[in-house]
Amino acid sequence: MVASAQNSEIEITGNLVDKESNEAIGYATIVLGNKKTNQAVDGVITDENGSFKIYSTISDFYIEVSFMGYKTKTITEYNVEDSKVNLGTILLSLDSQTLDEVIVTGEISKTEFKLDKRVFNVGRDISSTGASALEVLNNVPSVNVNIEGQISLRGSTGVQILIDGKPSVLADEESNALGTITADMIESIEVITNPSAKYDAEGTSGILNIILKKGEKKGLNGSISLNTGIPDNHSIGVSLNRRTEKFNLFTQFGAGYRSLPRDSETSNRDLTNATTVNSVGTSFRNETFYNLTLGTDYHINKLNVITLSGNFAYEVEDQPSSNDFDFFDETGLVSSWTRKENTEATNPKWQYELNYKKQFKNKKEHILLFSTLGKFFGKDLSSEFFNTTTFGDDVGGNQQTDTNFQQADYTFKLDYTNPLTDKVTLETGAQYVINDVGNEYEVRDFIDGVFVANEDLTNDFEYNQKVLAFYGTTGYELDTWGVKIGMRAEITDLTTELINTNESNSQNYTNFFPSFHTSYKVSENFSLQAGYSKRIYRPRLFDLNPFFNIRNNFNIRTGNPDLQPEFTDSYELTSIFKIGKASMNASIYHRYTKEVIERISRFEDNVTISTPQNVGTNGATGFEMNGKYSPVKWFTLTGDFNFNYFEREGIFEEQLFDFSGERWSTELGTKIGLPAEIDIEITGNYESDYNTVQGDVAGFAFADIGVRKKILKGKAVINLGIRDVFESRISENFTQQDDFETFSFNQRGRFLTLGFSYGFGKGEAMTYSGGRRR
């Protein structure tokens, strides 16, 4: 029955759920149509909880609900009361015929916006075939990953990496652990530039949260992917999921081999003594890797779920390298030699996690969550270095090193969320994190025909850090406006010790981290968001450990056990708008960082020694814009632009480090659909040069190309990718001081990849990541 309505605007609301599982269906399409003309008038997308709200200026309308894999439902009967229509809970049934065909409809990656984060849903980007998580991150707006694998967010390092919202051994940058995660395994990446107090305060630039895929369809589902490439980049990956009423069993496993060549050049110039040491060489990081994830969700009942999962990864490394050195003085070439390295390492990594989630009867969003996480990373590494003189004086200097590294981390976390009313939500919780690390390092010099331990370079470094945290947030959200405020307290206890020399350092400090977020929906096509947060960057083990790798003993990087943490205040204003077939967002932001950690180089006997130091403050003000434009179905254009101006102030050992500069980057991509289900994807990137405290970093441009062909009705996909087409992605650093100059250059080169992916059961080809998301 249709009740009469007044001529005012009618508000229509509802909630969409799966008929069998009773789970919310997020990001489904809701269409409002005119019954008389049978034409669509307006449309919206359900939020992540399956809820929607749409407005009608006509009283005789219909609602059409649709989502991939489900039968479309049309609603023509409803009651209008006080200019409102509440459709209540709308049940959708699976369309078995559509599921059997598994038509792949997902396209390139897209970004969604929420109150305090952006969600980059990883699509079927062709050039990412066989790529690691680091290469996927490099495609995410606002994120850059340099040739060395260092991650920056809006041009700043100090980024906290999470896996499924938690710390993980797979997120350890120092161990290259992200290389064991392939693009096929990633569902989405959350970019949180201004995290609320609910999140760890770690990471002065923000948080990147990598969400891994986990099947949700009932029955047995799975997919398999095969990848190969030049230079060697071969892998196989399998994803399986078995879902019943009580259990959801999931596993992912993969194995592969890759060779990562790198060409490098360095130059050290002593301006006082007019001497120069140059080196040119090539190094390889050949890795055989294995990765296994196994877990289960056990639904005790509709309100209680236990999740137990584990991950094991193992790498076997072989790192041969050869570098040619030349030593010059004011008279010319004095000596030349070749330094060769043979390094072997094994890296076991594992983690285990237990989660308990309780939902309360009064509301689905009323949740208590307890989690405990343990993780371990080890490295057993042995290196041999041999110098062969090719001209002039004999340089000698054969050496050996052994490293035994072990890191154990434990996290205990309790989170409680309570929607006190339809508009007010309370969140509170606590967390305790333990980091326990040991690094035994020995250097042996070749003296009189035997290798003898060098006591000056040998030591056992121990690092122990404990962080206890408490937080609380309150959110108030109306239809067009929302606000969220929070406070987090963290108590840090850090101890480092050099066992052999009996040197220790202890730090204990308590800090408070407020956060504030608000959003305002001006219209259906224009919204505003604003946020503030305070962050911390605690020095890592490798920042603190004073001992170093001697691969190139003329360019040494070492740590500083006296290093203090950085603190950053971050402000941001973002607008989100749609103009026709284009969607865009623009942000203005400001970050002010105290106790900035910079690597300061000093020069001794033609050797450059780089050590991290706390040097003053940095204020960065920036502008970022990214968007997407699809004028026709077969053509999509995406772009990202980030610019920031920074001012550095500081002094170190009576040297003034006051200067200002600017840094910008841009990315432009296009996807073109051709006949015969062939797609072409082209992406171009540019990163500008910028000043550092002692020199500058050169800019560079690079491009990626991909081609994809769908076969077997979309159940299988063949991809061809070319990364760094013109071999122009480089790392080039200059240091200029009164008494010395240094230069370093690194380049990885062009990578070609070929991939095949096939979905079976109700699974889909692993290059597809569309569909339901919680």
Side-chain angles (χ1 to χ4, degrees):
M1 163 182 143
V2 179
S4 62
Q6 300 177 3
N7 294 328
S8 60
E9 191 175 56
I10 300 173
E11 177 187 274
I12 304 109
T13 58
N15 189 55
L16 197 60
V17 300
D18 183 299
K19 185 176 180 179
E20 294 185 23
S21 67
N22 203 36
E23 294 180 354
I25 302 178
Y27 315 111
T29 301
I30 309 297
V31 174
L32 173 74
N34 189 322
K35 281 186 181 180
K36 294 180 180 179
T37 63
N38 202 33
Q39 296 292 318
V41 176
D42 198 359
V44 295
I45 302 295
T46 61
D47 64 19
E48 60 183 353
N49 297 315
S51 299
F52 69 89
K53 183 181 295 184
I54 192 169
Y55 296 89
S56 174
T57 56
I58 58 175
S59 59
D60 199 11
F61 59 84
Y62 66 88
I63 296 292
E64 184 180 88
V65 182
S66 61
F67 190 69
M68 189 199 72
Y70 289 84
K71 295 178 181 178
T72 298
K73 190 168 191 174
T74 303
I75 301 172
T76 57
E77 296 186 0
Y78 43 82
N79 291 320
V80 181
E81 296 180 3
D82 298 327
S83 297
K84 292 184 177 181
V85 173
N86 185 357
L87 299 177
T89 299
I90 303 170
L91 303 177
L92 281 195
S93 302
L94 290 172
D95 188 337
S96 58
Q97 182 177 356
T98 303
L99 287 174
D100 290 339
E101 293 178 358
V102 192
I103 300 174
V104 179
T105 57
E107 293 301 330
I108 63 173
S109 304
K110 62 180 181 178
T111 304
E112 299 172 21
F113 293 86
K114 300 184 179 181
L115 184 61
D116 56 355
K117 62 188 173 185
R118 285 176 287 164
V119 182
F120 182 80
N121 294 309
V122 177
R124 298 178 293 131
D125 301 301
I126 311 168
S127 62
S128 293
T129 299
S132 71
L134 285 172
E135 291 159 314
V136 176
L137 283 170
N138 206 46
N139 290 331
V140 175
S142 309
V143 180
N144 285 313
V145 182
N146 70 14
I147 201 168
E148 304 299 327
Q150 185 182 51
I151 300 169
S152 60
L153 182 58
R154 288 177 170 169
S156 297
T157 56
V159 184
Q160 171 80 332
I161 310 295
L162 303 177
I163 305 293
D164 290 331
K166 296 170 286 293
S168 172
V169 67
L170 297 177
D172 187 351
E173 288 184 72
E174 298 291 349
S175 66
N176 193 41
L178 284 171
T180 65
I181 301 177
T182 63
D184 301 328
M185 300 167 61
I186 300 174
E187 173 77 16
S188 61
I189 297 173
E190 297 178 348
V191 181
I192 312 172
T193 52
N194 255 323
S196 74
K198 181 177 180 178
Y199 295 93
D200 285 349
E202 180 69 41
T204 51
S205 297
I207 295 173
L208 296 176
N209 184 22
I210 300 173
I211 307 297
L212 300 181
K213 292 180 182 178
K214 185 166 65 175
E216 293 186 9
K217 299 185 183 71
K218 288 188 177 180
L220 178 64
N221 317 295
S223 57
I224 182 171
S225 68
L226 300 170
N227 299 293
T228 188
I230 303 173
D232 289 326
N233 183 11
H234 318 297
S235 65
I236 180 173
V238 178
S239 176
L240 294 172
N241 173 247
R242 171 73 176 175
R243 187 176 180 88
T244 65
E245 292 294 335
K246 286 286 187 180
F247 284 96
N248 179 38
L249 303 175
F250 54 91
T251 183
Q252 290 180 331
F253 54 91
Y257 172 80
R258 57 174 164 245
S259 176
L260 301 174
R262 182 177 67 179
D263 296 324
S264 61
E265 298 179 25
T266 65
S267 178
N268 293 352
R269 295 184 59 197
D270 187 328
L271 303 180
T272 302
N273 299 319
T275 57
T276 302
V277 177
N278 296 332
S279 71
V280 178
T282 301
S283 62
F284 293 84
R285 184 169 184 161
N286 304 324
E287 295 178 343
T288 302
F289 60 92
Y290 310 90
N291 195 344
L292 171 65
T293 298
L294 183 65
T296 182
D297 298 319
Y298 172 56
H299 295 259
I300 302 172
N301 51 46
K302 290 184 178 181
L303 300 177
N304 295 272
V305 180
I306 293 178
T307 300
L308 178 64
S309 63
N311 174 271
F312 175 76
Y314 191 78
E315 296 172 357
V316 179
E317 296 182 8
D318 175 29
Q319 300 180 28
S321 70
S322 178
N323 287 274
D324 296 323
F325 288 82
D326 294 314
F327 175 67
F328 299 87
D329 65 11
E330 55 189 359
T331 65
L333 180 63
V334 175
S335 59
S336 299
W337 66 98
T338 298
R339 184 173 177 85
K340 291 189 175 181
E341 173 191 357
N342 293 315
T343 292
E344 295 180 350
T346 56
N347 307 328
K349 313 164 187 176
W350 65 79
Q351 75 175 42
Y352 46 89
E353 181 178 1
L354 174 66
N355 286 334
Y356 168 67
K357 179 181 179 181
K358 176 178 177 55
Q359 291 178 274
F360 294 85
K361 291 183 178 180
N362 59 338
K363 286 190 178 181
K364 184 178 180 180
E365 296 82 10
H366 190 183
I367 296 171
L368 177 69
L369 179 63
F370 171 77
S371 63
T372 178
L373 171 71
K375 58 179 183 175
F376 172 85
F377 168 65
K379 178 182 282 289
D380 186 2
L381 181 147
S382 298
S383 300
E384 294 183 319
F385 302 90
F386 300 100
N387 290 343
T388 303
T389 302
T390 56
F391 176 81
D393 299 333
D394 185 10
V395 297
N398 294 342
Q399 294 174 302
Q400 293 179 338
T401 67
D402 283 324
T403 301
N404 182 16
F405 176 87
Q406 294 186 334
Q407 175 175 348
D409 301 313
Y410 306 94
T411 302
F412 306 92
K413 192 174 183 181
L414 184 67
D415 296 292
Y416 175 70
T417 302
N418 188 355
L420 301 176
T421 69
D422 292 338
K423 299 180 176 63
V424 179
T425 300
L426 172 69
E427 295 176 311
T428 187
Q431 179 177 276
Y432 186 53
V433 180
I434 302 172
N435 309 116
D436 191 5
V437 186
N439 186 64
E440 297 180 14
Y441 182 63
E442 181 179 74
V443 178
R444 296 183 293 275
D445 298 325
F446 192 67
I447 301 174
D448 297 329
V450 295
F451 284 98
V452 179
N454 186 327
E455 298 299 334
D456 293 333
L457 301 179
T458 297
N459 216 316
D460 180 2
F461 184 72
E462 292 192 354
Y463 167 100
N464 185 274
Q465 179 175 268
K466 302 180 180 70
V467 179
L468 177 63
F470 304 92
Y471 77 88
T473 72
T474 301
Y476 180 75
E477 192 164 2
L478 300 174
D479 294 337
T480 59
W481 176 74
V483 64
K484 186 176 184 179
I485 60 174
M487 177 64 75
R488 186 181 187 90
E490 293 192 349
I491 305 168
T492 305
D493 183 12
L494 170 65
T495 301
T496 64
E497 185 175 6
L498 292 165
I499 302 299
N500 295 16
T501 55
N502 197 28
E503 300 174 61
S504 62
N505 190 320
S506 297
Q507 300 180 30
N508 190 290
Y509 46 89
T510 300
N511 304 105
F512 294 92
F513 302 94
S515 67
F516 172 82
H517 296 84
T518 186
S519 66
Y520 180 67
K521 184 177 180 181
V522 180
S523 67
E524 290 296 328
N525 296 320
F526 182 60
S527 299
L528 292 171
Q529 295 177 337
Y532 162 79
S533 66
K534 185 175 182 179
R535 312 292 299 159
I536 185 175
Y537 174 82
R538 298 179 180 88
R540 307 293 199 270
L541 169 87
F542 293 94
D543 296 321
L544 300 170
N545 190 348
F547 290 88
F548 48 80
N549 191 308
I550 58 174
R551 168 173 290 176
N552 183 334
N553 49 10
F554 283 87
N555 289 276
I556 295 171
R557 293 168 66 91
T558 183
N560 174 11
D562 297 318
L563 207 58
Q564 300 296 307
E566 288 184 349
F567 293 93
T568 295
D569 291 284
S570 179
Y571 308 82
E572 181 175 348
L573 176 63
T574 298
S575 61
I576 307 162
F577 49 94
K578 295 180 181 180
I579 305 175
K581 296 182 178 181
S583 59
M584 303 181 70
N585 81 92
S587 299
I588 298 173
Y589 60 89
H590 177 73
R591 290 192 301 262
Y592 185 75
T593 304
K594 300 177 182 178
E595 299 292 342
V596 179
I597 297 175
E598 299 276 11
R599 281 203 164 265
I600 303 298
S601 297
R602 67 182 191 275
F603 202 71
E604 299 176 3
D605 298 326
N606 293 303
V607 177
T608 302
I609 303 172
S610 173
T611 308
Q613 304 288 349
N614 294 107
V615 185
T617 63
N618 182 48
T621 300
F623 170 77
E624 181 180 37
M625 175 176 284
N626 50 60
K628 176 181 176 181
Y629 177 56
S630 299
V632 290
K633 289 185 177 180
W634 56 268
F635 180 80
T636 301
L637 187 68
T638 59
D640 178 68
F641 175 78
N642 179 46
F643 171 88
N644 70 73
Y645 172 82
F646 58 88
E647 292 185 348
R648 291 286 286 108
E649 294 182 358
I651 187 170
F652 178 74
E653 293 184 348
E654 299 182 355
Q655 183 176 358
L656 192 64
F657 288 108
D658 289 359
F659 69 97
S660 61
E662 58 189 42
R663 183 178 182 180
W664 63 278
S665 64
T666 186
E667 177 181 300
L668 186 63
T670 182
K671 180 175 177 294
I672 303 171
L674 300 177
E677 294 191 296
I678 296 175
D679 295 324
I680 296 178
E681 186 180 280
I682 303 172
T683 304
N685 296 264
Y686 178 76
E687 295 185 25
S688 74
D689 59 350
Y690 60 93
N691 296 331
T692 63
V693 291
Q694 290 182 297
D696 57 90
V697 175
F700 62 92
F702 67 97
D704 300 329
I705 295 178
V707 180
R708 172 176 56 238
K709 165 68 176 172
K710 292 186 290 185
I711 58 176
L712 302 178
K713 296 183 178 180
K715 294 201 72 159
V717 180
I718 299 174
N719 298 291
L720 174 65
I722 307 175
R723 295 199 294 278
D724 196 5
V725 177
F726 305 106
E727 296 186 283
S728 55
R729 189 181 177 193
I730 62 172
S731 172
E732 197 169 22
N733 297 271
F734 303 86
T735 300
Q736 298 96 14
Q737 296 294 286
D738 294 337
D739 55 345
F740 72 94
E741 293 179 350
T742 69
F743 163 75
S744 67
F745 172 88
N746 290 279
Q747 183 179 32
R748 291 287 188 191
R750 183 186 300 114
F751 284 75
L752 280 74
T753 58
L754 177 65
F756 172 81
S757 183
Y758 176 75
F760 53 88
K762 295 178 181 178
E764 296 140 351
M766 288 179 72
T767 48
Y768 168 65
S769 67
R772 294 183 56 192
R773 297 183 180 87
R774 293 187 187 183

